[in-house]
Amino acid sequence: MWPARLPEAASAAGPAGIPAPAALPPGGLAPGAPALSEGRCAHGKGTLSGETFGLGASTPGLGRPGPASRDAVWCSRLSKSYGHRAALRSVSLRISSGEVVGLLGPNGAGKSTLVKLLVGLARPDSGEALVLGAPLGHPQSRRDIGYLPELFRYQPWLSVAEVIGLHARLCPVPVADRRREVDRVLDRAGLADRGQDRVASLSKGLQQRLGLAVALLGKPRLLLLDEPTSALDPTGRADVRSLIDQCRAEGITVLLNSHMLSEVERSCDRVIVLDRGRVLADGPLGAWLDHDVLRVRLDGEAGRFVPCLAHFGEVSAHARELTMPSLALSLVPDVVGALVAAGARVVSVEPGQVSLEEKLLELLSGHDEDRP
């Protein structure tokens, strides 16, 4: 799989001679367009199979009949199976234009499958979706999508500039603008001085930058990034954050699929959590992380001291650390006193906020308990 700006189809015909769907008016379906069962996607009603973080409410507006004109991505009850394994189960979500959204979940949750459906590399078994106002895989949307897959490989004998030039032709970038566009994406990806280097000579991190450069060709309106910071050093990760910030400022919609939770926490406006093919939660990042927590580090195993703190409220232990969410700061001296009285040696006490990793683990753990 190559990262790419997805080219337009060469003709208006779809697979096996099926005519491509007509261009869609904003927020609506072209008259007479067939349903998915006839080989295409059409819009309909959708509800969210998840909840806004910490708020216990469904995503605002998803109950409306169909997509809004501001939606870059709109999905209703998308399902996809590979053989007997269900990769996506009735996934409904929407992403507004200009949003930076993190897509989270454990391995096998369905994140990469969802991205492949949005790009048009796979077809759903059922459900409906629009990307940039057009059905999945339609040339109207493909020409405005930049995509960096998790795994890719370029021809090792090509130079960096040749790889980007090839994809600029496929986009297609007009001939008059091609040289300038190649230089622009090389600079944005931090490869301005690497244009003549062969792909075979690049480190994995530099090849990752090359994939980002290709995805940025032609100034896409929607950028789909699947693990963009894998293999990157701290400088490279900082560059990706800066790139995402620039995209936000330019109104480009970004869907970031990553296990690097610190990067998601720093870059995203909203997060969507998938687990076992379903939307488990969907909401603003701030609403999820807006919870105080007290962390107490001990000089020894923390678990045996949980009972002496039970009257303060919820307490959890991991290795040498106790965690107490939503504890009033005025009670901190009492907590320390109770621990000392029980024989604990307190190393540090740190009030703070719940991390994205802690909330995600809590959410997934609760979902595991609900498993039939």
Side-chain angles (χ1 to χ4, degrees):
M1 182 71 65
W2 298 351
R5 279 304 318 286
L6 300 175
E8 296 183 56
S11 71
I18 298 175
L24 300 178
L29 182 66
L36 179 67
S37 58
E38 296 175 282
R40 248 158 289 146
C41 293
H43 84 269
K45 296 183 180 180
T47 56
L48 180 68
S49 54
E51 62 180 44
T52 303
F53 296 136
L55 301 181
S58 62
T59 297
L62 197 54
R64 288 199 303 263
S69 59
R70 68 176 182 277
D71 291 338
V73 175
W74 178 89
C75 304
S76 176
R77 298 170 183 163
L78 283 183
S79 295
K80 176 68 176 178
S81 295
Y82 297 99
H84 296 294
R85 185 181 67 83
L88 291 179
R89 307 167 186 258
S90 193
V91 167
S92 295
L93 57 86
R94 70 195 323 154
I95 300 173
S96 297
S97 296
E99 268 195 303
V100 178
V101 176
L103 188 60
L104 306 181
N107 291 329
K111 305 184 299 297
S112 292
T113 296
L114 175 60
V115 171
K116 288 177 182 177
L117 293 183
L118 297 180
V119 172
L121 294 177
R123 290 190 175 193
D125 299 329
S126 61
E128 305 165 308
L130 296 177
V131 178
L132 300 175
L136 296 176
H138 193 281
Q140 178 179 327
S141 61
R142 286 173 64 89
R143 63 171 170 258
D144 285 325
I145 296 176
Y147 175 43
L148 174 69
E150 181 180 7
L151 301 173
F152 60 89
R153 180 176 296 177
Y154 293 120
Q155 297 92 334
W157 58 86
L158 292 179
S159 71
V160 168
E162 286 171 337
V163 169
I164 298 176
L166 170 63
H167 284 271
R169 290 172 59 192
L170 292 172
C171 273
V173 175
V175 174
D177 301 331
R178 205 166 287 165
R179 180 71 262 171
R180 182 167 56 253
E181 181 64 5
V182 169
D183 290 341
R184 183 187 73 85
V185 299
L186 281 172
D187 182 64
R188 291 195 70 172
L191 295 172
D193 59 345
R194 297 278 189 166
Q196 301 310 309
D197 291 3
R198 299 293 170 187
V199 170
S201 71
L202 300 181
S203 67
K204 195 171 188 317
L206 290 176
Q207 290 192 39
Q208 192 77 4
R209 287 176 179 266
L210 177 55
L212 281 167
V214 171
L216 290 169
L217 277 168
K219 300 180 180 179
R221 294 165 53 200
L222 173 62
L223 194 58
L224 303 175
L225 304 178
D226 201 345
E227 299 292 352
T229 56
S230 65
L232 293 181
D233 57 22
T235 300
R237 291 196 294 272
D239 288 344
V240 171
R241 288 197 300 272
S242 176
L243 173 65
I244 292 174
D245 288 341
Q246 291 177 36
C247 289
R248 179 190 286 108
E250 295 170 10
I252 298 171
T253 306
V254 180
L255 181 62
L256 174 61
N257 176 12
S258 179
H259 289 293
M260 299 286 290
L261 300 184
S262 60
E263 301 303 318
V264 174
E265 196 167 344
R266 293 181 184 187
S267 300
C268 295
D269 309 312
R270 182 162 66 92
V271 290
I272 297 170
V273 180
L274 294 182
D275 188 28
R276 301 198 294 274
R278 298 185 185 277
V279 175
L280 186 57
D282 179 351
L285 185 61
W288 206 17
L289 301 181
D290 190 20
H291 299 282
D292 294 328
V293 64
L294 181 71
R295 298 183 179 88
V296 183
R297 188 163 182 82
L298 306 181
D299 184 17
E301 179 60 38
R304 65 191 183 95
F305 295 103
V306 169
C308 75
L309 300 178
H311 61 285
F312 288 102
E314 183 182 346
V315 185
S316 61
H318 178 70
R320 299 188 176 195
E321 186 173 275
L322 292 165
T323 302
M324 305 179 68
S326 304
L327 182 79
L329 292 180
S330 61
L331 294 177
V332 171
D334 297 328
V335 168
V336 174
L339 287 169
V340 172
R345 290 171 56 85
V346 179
V347 175
S348 65
V349 179
E350 180 187 355
Q353 285 190 316
V354 174
S355 70
L356 183 57
E357 180 177 3
E358 289 170 326
K359 288 299 295 183
L360 182 61
L361 290 174
E362 177 187 332
L363 188 67
L364 294 174
S365 175
H367 197 214
D368 285 338
E369 293 173 0
D370 295 336
R371 186 192 298 267

